[in-house]
Amino acid sequence: MTRERARRLRCDVVTVIRDGVVLASAERGGRPSTPAHREQLADIDAAEDFLRAYHDAHPASGSLADRLAEVRAEIARSGTYRHTAAELAYGARVALRDSGWCTSGVPWRRLKVRDLRGIRNAPAVAEECFEHLRLATHGGKIQPLVTVFAPDAPYRPGPRIWNEQVVRYAGYESADGTVLGDARYTGFTAAAQRLGWKPPTQRSKFDHLPLVVETASEGPQVFTLPRDVVHEVPLEHPELPWFVELGLRWHTVPLISNMRLLIGGISYPAAPFNTWFVGTEIGTRGLADENAYGVTRTVAARLGLDTRSERSLWRDRAIVEINRAVLFSFDSARVTVTDHHTEALHRLAWLRAGPRNGVHRPAFTLAKQAAHRARHGSPPCFEERAGRS
């Protein structure tokens, strides 16, 4: 190919890419090109596996043969198909049950699924994420929910949410390398500022990061969380009066927002879901971890522990007290929370029940780039690039 010809292709062809996969390729002003179209066809095998599983679980739902014929015809015509509301709810429930985030006591069979597949623009996605938080908080009696936004379709990708969870705390890195706030999110915090987010004038350890929603047509957009949607619990200890002086707190709803929901060959890139917190997710991973808030050494010092040698197990003793404070504070505030021992037993019982059959089971999945984006704010989900990929 001559250099001039390559230049013409770069000028005349636009390729839309997300997470390293060709989403659509089209001539400017023209129809999509064939290779990208093949990339986006719904997986018929996955669709058929899912529909058979759904009809096995719901024998009164009608003729499987008729539904399979309908879906095959729809895929042949448009490259995709639409789940019924009942199919969507079943797929989301099974995906949550098998995700590893389904904490003990979650009534997954009765899990409420908010069907918002008609929503794909960034402001509406953000507003419904905030409404999800309001509904899930439920006065402290946390309500597990799944909200499903528009799916990917040929040449019409669904929205993406950058944040790992809808509520996360900013991390401000100083020139000397010290961090105010959650050190896991220094990169995301800086990226949000580049996108136009303005932190509070008086910065604190627990400033809420904005929600970042990206669509192919709008690019990444930032939305400040309304104060009324975030319920937080100040942390205190049942036996250590000084613990409250540390000024620690945590939000009550773990609303996971950057995982992709796969159901029967259809991909829902924005399907935020929540159950409730396991105490160690807050105490150990959030507050104690040196890569997050890193309060372990401070707590150990207040406990009078010998921190000169790891052999004293001062970290273990301090982390136990941090986790005790989390459970005590959530229980005192009457907010649903569970402990890691209960969850370990629950998970073991689930594993002993045997493997779930089927290679195309509904699932929540996390791409490496999505995980990276949630911490570092890059790369963008969509980019228009000249030339073929």
Side-chain angles (χ1 to χ4, degrees):
M1 180 182 295
T2 66
R3 184 171 298 178
E4 291 73 23
R5 174 60 174 160
R7 185 179 298 117
R8 282 199 297 274
L9 279 178
R10 286 196 295 271
C11 293
D12 295 338
V13 177
V14 173
T15 301
V16 180
I17 299 172
R18 57 113 170 112
D19 289 346
V21 176
V22 176
L23 187 66
S25 182
E27 293 183 3
R28 293 191 186 276
R31 295 180 60 80
S33 61
T34 302
H37 179 68
R38 291 198 191 102
E39 292 259 5
Q40 287 302 298
L41 288 177
D43 186 331
I44 292 179
D45 290 339
E48 292 187 357
D49 282 357
F50 168 71
L51 291 171
R52 289 191 176 93
Y54 171 76
H55 279 259
D56 284 347
H58 302 85
S61 59
S63 168
L64 172 60
D66 288 349
R67 180 59 176 146
L68 288 172
E70 179 184 13
V71 167
R72 290 186 192 113
E74 194 174 350
I75 292 174
R77 182 177 64 254
S78 66
T80 188
Y81 72 102
R82 181 177 174 84
H83 290 124
T84 67
E87 290 167 354
L88 179 73
Y90 172 75
R93 289 165 181 158
V94 170
L96 180 60
R97 181 195 68 187
D98 296 350
S99 68
W101 282 92
C102 191
T103 47
S104 59
V106 171
W108 68 269
R109 288 184 178 86
R110 301 190 304 277
L111 177 75
K112 182 176 179 182
V113 178
R114 303 173 70 224
D115 183 356
L116 300 181
R117 286 175 287 175
I119 292 178
R120 62 175 61 249
N121 68 82
V125 169
E127 182 52 46
E128 290 300 336
C129 286
F130 302 151
E131 180 62 17
H132 183 135
L133 267 180
R134 291 188 185 97
L135 295 171
T137 300
H138 201 226
K141 190 176 181 181
I142 306 302
Q143 175 70 48
L145 298 172
V146 179
T147 296
V148 184
F149 295 110
D152 282 340
Y155 319 112
R156 201 178 187 200
R160 272 74 170 154
I161 299 170
W162 285 21
N163 307 59
E164 188 174 66
Q165 294 187 24
V166 170
V167 183
R168 275 303 192 225
Y169 297 114
Y172 307 106
E173 187 170 14
S174 302
D176 62 2
T178 58
V179 175
L180 175 67
D182 195 331
R184 294 174 294 182
Y185 301 105
T186 54
F188 192 99
T189 301
Q193 290 176 274
R194 290 193 295 271
L195 288 171
W197 176 61
K198 297 187 182 303
T201 304
Q202 291 293 112
R203 298 180 180 185
S204 76
K205 293 186 292 186
F206 293 99
D207 293 341
H208 301 146
L209 283 167
L211 189 67
V212 180
V213 181
E214 184 178 357
T215 68
S217 60
E218 299 164 296
Q221 306 287 314
V222 294
F223 301 92
T224 300
L225 273 66
R227 275 297 321 172
D228 71 290
V229 306
V230 184
H231 181 206
E232 294 173 307
V233 174
L235 301 187
E236 56 182 321
H237 193 280
E239 298 165 4
L240 304 172
W242 52 260
F243 197 95
V244 71
E245 298 170 10
L246 301 177
L248 304 177
R249 62 176 185 264
W250 209 260
H251 61 98
T252 60
V253 179
L255 179 47
I256 314 299
S257 49
N258 68 334
M259 296 186 77
R260 178 182 299 273
L261 174 60
L262 302 177
I263 303 176
I266 302 298
S267 175
Y268 298 95
F273 66 93
N274 76 280
T275 56
W276 43 73
F277 271 117
V278 179
T280 48
E281 174 69 20
I282 301 169
T284 302
R285 297 182 64 184
L287 296 173
D289 194 325
E290 295 294 335
N291 295 313
Y293 277 88
V295 302
T296 308
R297 190 175 291 273
T298 299
V299 171
R302 296 296 296 265
L303 288 168
L305 302 178
D306 181 359
T307 61
R308 292 173 298 177
S309 170
E310 298 294 344
R311 300 282 289 182
S312 69
L313 301 184
W314 61 270
R315 293 182 192 275
D316 305 68
R317 295 169 66 185
I319 290 171
V320 166
E321 300 307 331
I322 295 168
N323 283 309
R324 288 185 67 200
V326 170
L327 294 176
F328 174 78
S329 300
F330 271 62
D331 287 345
S332 297
R334 298 186 177 182
V335 173
T336 310
V337 69
T338 186
D339 65 89
H340 59 291
H341 293 292
T342 298
E343 289 312 305
L345 293 173
H346 166 69
R347 194 66 179 168
L348 284 171
W350 183 85
L351 292 171
R352 289 190 187 108
R356 273 59 180 175
N357 296 323
V359 296
H360 299 299
R361 294 188 64 79
F364 282 101
T365 66
L366 180 62
K368 288 183 179 180
Q369 283 190 319
H372 186 274
R373 189 179 300 119
R375 296 295 176 94
H376 304 285
S378 66
C381 304
F382 303 100
E383 55 179 319
E384 282 200 351
R385 186 173 79 193
R388 295 183 184 273
S389 63

